[in-house]
Amino acid sequence: MAPITKTPEQVQKFDLIVLGGGSGGIASARRAASHGAKVALLERHGYLGGTCVNVGCVPKKVMWNAASLAEAIHHAPAYGFEAVSAKLNWKHLKEKRDAYVKRLNGIYDSNLTKDAIQWFHGNGSFVDANTIAVALPDGSSTTIQADKILIATGGHAFQPDVPGGELAIDSDGFFDLEAQPKRVVVVGTGYIGVELAGIFHALGSDVTIVSRTKHILRRFDDTIRVNLREEMQRIGVHFAFNAKVNSLTKTSNGIAVAVTSDGQDKTIDTDCVIWAVGRGPNTRGLNLDKIGIQLDAKNQIIVDPYQATNVPGIFALGDVCGNYELTPVAIAAGRKLMDRLFGGEQFKDVKLDYENIPSVVFSHPTSGSCGLSEEEAVAKYGQGNVKIYKSKFVNMYFAMFEQNQKQFTEYKIIVTGPEELVVGLHLFGLASDEILQGFGVAMRMGAKKRDFDNCVAIHPTAAEELVTMR
């Protein structure tokens, strides 16, 4: 069903209005509809899926896959394959990737139709706590009402206020690139910056990362951030540490990036600059102040453990709240919320538990975490109540490589108490993304170290280190 783009004849009333057609909003709308609710969904773009589907997880993983293939081609001679010259056709890849995303947009649209959900292409703003004004693309507007409203409008990339800053692109702009830049500067060392830098480098671009500290992935355990930084440096990614960008200037040869790094001024010549310095919530234009919705210092909507705002009947989840900005988290929170609101007595106390949520960085190699970092565990339980198990080794995949080409893998298990409850798990190395999911289930079930030990190892694998560690 095509979105509603023209003014309906009269005010429509629903059981639920969802502001935002991203993964969290759509999952919420569909779950509510499955319980019999009459649902309306608003999306300001003319397509569905939000950041994840259009300019995030999905197209990023396509590019990561391409980068991983490039790495495999580079590794092949170590296994006796004659060296081959493989050139990436960026334009062809982009066309196929964009077509895949468009197909997903259509699937979302079809699913809303199947569930009898009306979706509006327009900007929504609060008139009162039960009424939304919808500005439609044709310049007209309409009004819809509901007893319950969910805000799932997502977030956006920050654009630093730097002279010449408009010469750079953000992570959204990465997916608009029609050709692969030979030289890239990535400003920022969160997971988005690290992932994009890794993709570009594996595909053959010369990459420099500008970091305002000596670290990358500040919120992750040292097992990941130290090993990944060292590995990126080993394979030739350049870093400007303790750095800030002073200006960007257009030149005949690209863009000149003026930075101060470790107290020294220097210029980096490049073809493309990407801002990856964080994201903010999409709260502007919603008229939240009109109904008294409370925001925090970052303009994120404050919610309780049940996703409820301070205004009765209004809820929020996902990036607009800033609590675990991960697509599966928004989906899970939304489904549980709708079960509670519309599913009946059996769901009256249902909510998402935000502890032990696994997350992965699609770096090269991948890395992932579940639970507390070592620093967080010590702060929570005390140094004397925390025990660390670690293993650092070379994955068998690299057995045929020359010594200076081998890549380390490191795993860390963090436990507490006499029962050695596993409260943190951190993986760095090949296939960490696939390995982590199953161990995340174990941690959610309250696994102890002895449970890991009692599992017979699968040999030869890297993951067997997690059940043989002493």
Side-chain angles (χ1 to χ4, degrees):
M1 180 182 73
I4 296 171
T5 58
K6 295 183 178 180
T7 306
E9 294 182 0
Q10 58 186 16
V11 174
Q12 293 180 279
K13 295 185 178 181
F14 299 87
D15 299 312
L16 172 72
I17 296 171
V18 178
L19 301 179
S23 300
I26 289 175
S28 301
R30 297 190 67 201
R31 180 57 62 90
S34 75
H35 290 304
K38 182 181 179 183
V39 182
L41 181 144
L42 275 67
E43 172 53 52
R44 62 190 179 93
H45 298 292
Y47 48 83
L48 297 167
T51 296
C52 178
V53 169
N54 295 286
V55 288
C57 333
V58 172
K60 181 271 304 286
K61 186 66 182 289
V62 171
M63 300 305 291
W64 182 88
N65 287 339
S68 297
L69 286 171
E71 287 183 312
I73 293 169
H74 179 70
H75 291 161
Y79 277 87
F81 290 89
E82 293 185 5
V84 294
S85 177
K87 183 179 180 181
L88 172 66
N89 185 331
W90 182 284
K91 183 175 182 292
H92 177 72
L93 175 59
K94 181 181 185 300
E95 288 173 351
K96 292 194 70 175
R97 185 197 70 211
D98 292 352
Y100 174 56
V101 169
K102 187 174 182 180
R103 188 159 66 249
L104 294 179
N105 297 149
I107 291 171
Y108 275 119
D109 192 345
S110 176
N111 286 338
L112 293 183
T113 300
K114 290 176 184 176
D115 293 336
I117 296 167
Q118 292 191 44
W119 81 275
F120 294 77
H121 174 199
N123 287 300
S125 59
F126 281 91
V127 176
D128 58 44
N130 301 109
T131 307
I132 299 293
V134 186
L136 298 166
D138 67 355
S140 64
S141 63
T142 189
T143 300
I144 56 178
Q145 294 180 330
D147 291 333
K148 296 178 177 63
I149 298 175
L150 173 64
I151 305 170
T153 48
H156 61 273
F158 284 133
Q159 295 279 353
D161 185 13
V162 172
E166 70 280 358
L167 297 173
I169 61 175
D170 58 21
S171 55
D172 292 5
F174 166 78
F175 299 104
D176 292 328
L177 289 172
E178 296 291 342
Q180 180 183 353
K182 293 181 178 180
R183 302 168 298 172
V184 179
V185 170
V186 177
V187 184
T189 54
Y191 75 92
I192 294 174
V194 166
E195 288 177 344
L196 295 183
I199 289 168
F200 273 123
H201 180 268
L203 293 177
S205 297
D206 184 78
V207 179
T208 299
I209 296 178
V210 179
S211 173
R212 63 185 178 90
T213 68
K214 265 295 205 185
H215 302 288
I216 65 172
L217 298 173
R218 179 171 52 88
R219 297 181 181 179
F220 285 79
D221 188 87
D222 280 349
T223 300
I224 292 172
R225 62 183 188 180
V226 172
N227 279 295
L228 182 55
R229 185 196 69 217
E230 291 178 350
E231 174 61 16
M232 295 181 82
Q233 290 175 308
R234 184 188 71 82
I235 62 177
V237 176
H238 311 295
F239 284 87
F241 289 117
N242 297 318
K244 69 172 184 174
V245 176
N246 299 317
S247 67
L248 276 60
T249 306
K250 183 70 175 175
T251 69
S252 59
N253 192 35
I255 301 172
V257 184
V259 302
T260 301
S261 176
D262 287 324
Q264 301 294 316
D265 293 335
K266 65 177 184 178
T267 299
I268 305 170
D269 293 317
T270 189
D271 302 306
C272 177
V273 179
I274 299 180
W275 298 125
V277 293
R279 296 178 64 81
N282 289 333
T283 52
R284 179 179 294 182
L286 296 178
N287 281 351
L288 298 182
D289 56 335
K290 191 166 188 176
I291 56 171
I293 293 277
Q294 291 182 353
L295 306 178
D296 65 15
K298 297 181 180 179
N299 286 323
Q300 296 166 332
I301 297 175
I302 298 171
V303 293
D304 68 12
Y306 293 88
Q307 309 300 146
T309 71
N310 63 300
V311 178
I314 300 180
F315 307 85
L317 55 80
D319 291 5
V320 77
C321 301
N323 190 6
Y324 277 97
E325 297 174 17
L326 300 169
T327 295
V329 174
I331 291 172
R335 287 173 175 164
K336 289 183 180 296
L337 172 63
M338 295 306 142
D339 284 342
R340 184 169 61 83
L341 295 181
F342 298 106
E345 185 69 15
Q346 61 180 319
F347 296 110
K348 66 177 183 178
D349 296 320
V350 168
K351 62 181 176 64
L352 179 63
D353 182 353
Y354 282 87
E355 287 193 7
N356 289 336
I357 291 176
S359 64
V360 162
V361 181
F362 285 99
S363 47
H364 295 267
T366 53
S367 47
S369 290
C370 186
L372 304 175
S373 68
E374 182 175 347
E375 184 179 356
E376 290 169 336
V378 169
K380 181 173 182 178
Y381 297 107
Q383 184 72 58
N385 297 314
V386 172
K387 186 174 181 179
I388 306 298
Y389 293 89
K390 286 198 300 185
S391 178
K392 190 168 186 175
F393 58 98
V394 174
N395 191 304
M396 186 177 169
Y397 175 86
F398 295 99
M400 301 294 104
F401 288 56
E402 296 299 324
Q403 190 62 37
N404 64 352
Q405 296 176 319
K406 294 184 177 182
Q407 182 186 99
F408 283 109
T409 292
E410 183 169 335
Y411 298 156
K412 177 188 287 186
I413 302 172
I414 303 170
V415 303
T416 187
E419 292 290 298
E420 293 198 328
L421 175 70
V422 179
V423 295
L425 180 65
H426 307 282
L427 313 180
F428 168 81
L430 292 179
S432 292
D433 51 326
E434 298 293 349
I435 294 169
L436 184 62
Q437 186 74 77
F439 283 94
V441 173
M443 289 182 65
R444 289 290 306 167
M445 296 176 69
K448 315 292 195 302
K449 177 64 167 61
R450 66 173 178 269
D451 296 316
F452 281 36
D453 298 340
N454 287 334
C455 181
V456 176
I458 302 171
H459 182 76
T461 65
E464 69 181 293
E465 290 289 324
L466 290 168
V467 299
T468 58
M469 208 178 291
R470 292 292 181 269

